[in-house]
């Protein structure tokens, strides 16, 4: 437990609200930053700043050493965003300014990267962090992934990994859980399928993705890991953050059918993102396992259980609406 202060950016977003709540539950005094207002429970339990994470008032507070850690989750997260100027400012230049203030004030800096940086994986095997730039993967397939990869490069070339409160970049895989319905088509595919199942609606998939596999991770696991990484004694560097298990879309359909206890109506549509679509993702979790031995590690059974809980949440919400 700690009574020290942590800043969480992007706290009104899907992952951000879970991370901010986990920090509160861990005993931190939490200041949240976002362009929109976070949920009422966070407004009650945190200091809320409505605005951009890179505006002068926020940067001054970090520079003054008001926080022991900054957990930076504010970003353009759309994988179909094509405005490079906006991506460059929000996903590279802005976070770089925040990281500089953290380094000057001795504040730990933890930020969200993305497994999208790996792009197409050559041999369908779990990739370690060092695989980026090798023949094991294609590298970024879209502008969003490119912005994340460039910021990772900035962090590894600009900042040392030894000494001080340090920094950590976490390459999230496909995070799922409550609170992402506002993302609509950008919500996790597992969340979209579970929501449609709970509403008894047809399930829509791209026709070429039934055997595609993704590494899914519950948002609660991500939040708990971010709390561990916010500790100034935690290791520095870039780490994968997934479950380390690849689940096919066909398996997701079986889960949905089992949860609903009924056959499903599935609609297959052409994939408009051929050439920019990741058909297989799975993270090698060895580095994080070594660096954070107490971190939560969901296995296949826990992933299915978390999916079932999300389905029940959607079903209950649908029944009450």
């Amino acid at each position: 437990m700690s009574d020290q202060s942590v800043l969480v950016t992007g706290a009104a977003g899907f992952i951000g609200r879970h991370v901010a709540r986990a920090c509160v539950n861990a005993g931190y005094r939490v200041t949240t930053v976002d362009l929109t207002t976070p949920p009422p429970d966070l407004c009650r339990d945190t200091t809320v700043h409505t605005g951009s994470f890179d505006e002068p008032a926020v940067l001054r507070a970090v520079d003054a050493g008001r926080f022991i850690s900054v957990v930076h989750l504010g970003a353009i997260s759309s994988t179909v965003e094509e405005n490079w100027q906006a991506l460059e400012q929000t996903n590279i230049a802005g976070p770089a300014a925040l990281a500089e203030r953290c380094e000057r004030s001795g504040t730990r800096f933890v930020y969200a990267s993305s497994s999208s940086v790996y792009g197409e994986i050559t041999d369908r095997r779990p990739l370690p962090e060092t695989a980026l730039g090798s023949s094991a993967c294609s590298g970024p397939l879209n502008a969003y992934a490119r912005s994340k990869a460039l910021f990772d490069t900035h962090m590894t070339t600009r900042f040392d990994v030894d000494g001080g409160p340090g920094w950590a970049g976490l390459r999230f895989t496909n995070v799922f859980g409550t609170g992402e319905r506002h993302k609509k088509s950008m919500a996790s595919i597992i969340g979209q399928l579970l929501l449609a199942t709970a509403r008894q609606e047809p399930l829509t998939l791209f026709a070429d993705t039934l055997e595609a596999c993704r590494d899914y991770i519950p948002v609660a696991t991500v939040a708990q890991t971010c709390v561990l990484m916010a500790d100034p004694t935690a290791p520095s560097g870039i780490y994968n953050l997934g479950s380390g298990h690849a689940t096919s879309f066909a398996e997701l359909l079986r889960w949905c059918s089992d949860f609903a206890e009924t056959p499903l109506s599935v609609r297959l549509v052409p994939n408009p993102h051929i050439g920019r679509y990741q058909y297989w993702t799975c993270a090698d979790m060895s580095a994080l396992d070594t660096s954070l031995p107490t971190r939560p590690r969901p296995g296949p059974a826990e992933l299915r259980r978390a999916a079932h809980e999300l389905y029940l949440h959607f079903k209950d919400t649908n029944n009450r609406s």
Side-chain angles (χ1 to χ4, degrees), residues 73-81 87 90-91 144 148 183 186:
L73 303 168
I76 294 175
S77 59
S78 172
T79 58
V80 297
E81 177 61 62
L87 283 164
T90 304
N91 290 3
Y144 162 78
K148 289 295 187 179
K183 294 174 66 178
M186 286 295 107

Side-chain angles (χ1 to χ4, degrees), residues 145-163:
R146 180 178 170 225
S147 72
K148 289 295 187 179
L150 285 173
F151 187 65
D152 284 351
T153 298
H154 170 78
M155 291 300 297
T156 56
T157 55
R158 170 65 182 82
F159 299 104
D160 197 352
V161 295
D162 297 317

Side-chain angles (χ1 to χ4, degrees), residues 24-318:
V24 169
N25 291 345
Y28 288 110
R29 294 194 306 271
V30 177
T31 297
T32 62
V33 175
D34 207 311
L35 294 172
T36 58
T37 304
D41 67 307
L42 287 180
C43 291
R44 182 184 66 244
D45 297 338
T46 69
T47 299
V48 176
H49 181 91
T50 303
S52 176
F53 65 82
D54 59 350
E55 66 182 46
V58 175
L59 296 178
R60 283 196 300 269
V62 174
D63 212 6
R66 284 183 47 191
F67 312 101
I68 65 161
S69 298
V70 170
V71 183
H72 176 56
L73 303 168
I76 294 175
S77 59
S78 172
T79 58
V80 297
E81 177 61 62
E82 296 183 348
N83 184 336
W84 180 248
Q85 185 175 9
L87 283 164
E88 189 173 37
Q89 175 57 41
T90 304
N91 290 3
I92 303 174
L98 194 56
E100 290 289 340
R101 299 321 192 275
C102 285
E103 200 257 350
R104 283 204 316 230
S105 61
T107 303
R108 182 164 177 81
F109 181 64
V110 179
Y111 71 94
S113 184
S114 170
S115 65
S116 67
V117 299
Y118 298 116
E120 184 179 355
I121 297 174
T122 307
D123 295 324
R124 288 203 165 202
R125 59 181 178 83
L127 285 189
E129 295 81 356
T130 54
L132 187 61
S134 75
S135 61
C137 62
S138 68
L141 296 175
N142 54 53
Y144 162 78
R146 180 178 170 225
S147 72
K148 289 295 187 179
L150 285 173
F151 187 65
D152 284 351
T153 298
H154 170 78
M155 291 300 297
T156 56
T157 55
R158 170 65 182 82
F159 299 104
D160 197 352
V161 295
D162 297 317
W167 60 274
L170 300 173
R171 287 177 176 163
F172 298 163
T173 59
N174 292 77
V175 186
F176 71 97
T178 59
E180 65 166 341
R181 287 172 63 174
H182 66 283
K183 294 174 66 178
K184 299 182 180 178
S185 64
M186 286 295 107
S188 63
I189 186 61
I190 187 172
Q192 293 183 54
L193 294 176
L194 291 169
L195 177 60
T197 302
R199 288 177 167 176
Q200 299 181 326
E201 297 173 347
L203 279 62
T204 302
L205 283 175
F206 296 142
D208 61 349
T209 61
L210 283 177
E211 294 308 316
C213 295
R214 293 282 172 85
D215 184 330
Y216 300 100
I217 184 167
V219 69
T221 301
V222 170
Q224 292 162 17
T225 305
C226 285
V227 170
L228 293 173
M229 271 297 183
D231 188 324
T233 65
S236 293
I238 293 177
Y239 297 92
N240 290 332
L241 180 48
S243 67
H245 305 283
T247 305
S248 72
F249 287 17
E251 181 67 11
L252 294 185
L253 293 180
R254 285 190 284 270
W255 289 1
C256 290
S257 181
D258 290 346
F259 299 160
E261 299 180 330
T262 184
L264 302 173
S265 173
V266 179
R267 185 165 59 104
L268 300 178
V269 299
N271 186 344
H273 306 298
I274 292 175
R276 296 182 297 162
Y277 193 86
Q278 285 182 291
Y279 291 90
W280 199 87
T281 65
C282 191
D284 182 327
M285 296 304 301
S286 302
L288 195 59
D289 287 344
T290 300
S291 296
L292 282 184
T294 62
R295 76 171 187 89
R297 294 178 176 84
E302 287 79 15
L303 294 176
R304 191 181 192 279
R305 188 177 306 118
H308 190 208
E309 290 173 358
L310 184 57
Y311 164 77
L312 293 175
H313 167 79
F314 286 148
K315 188 176 180 180
D316 179 63
T317 302
N318 187 57

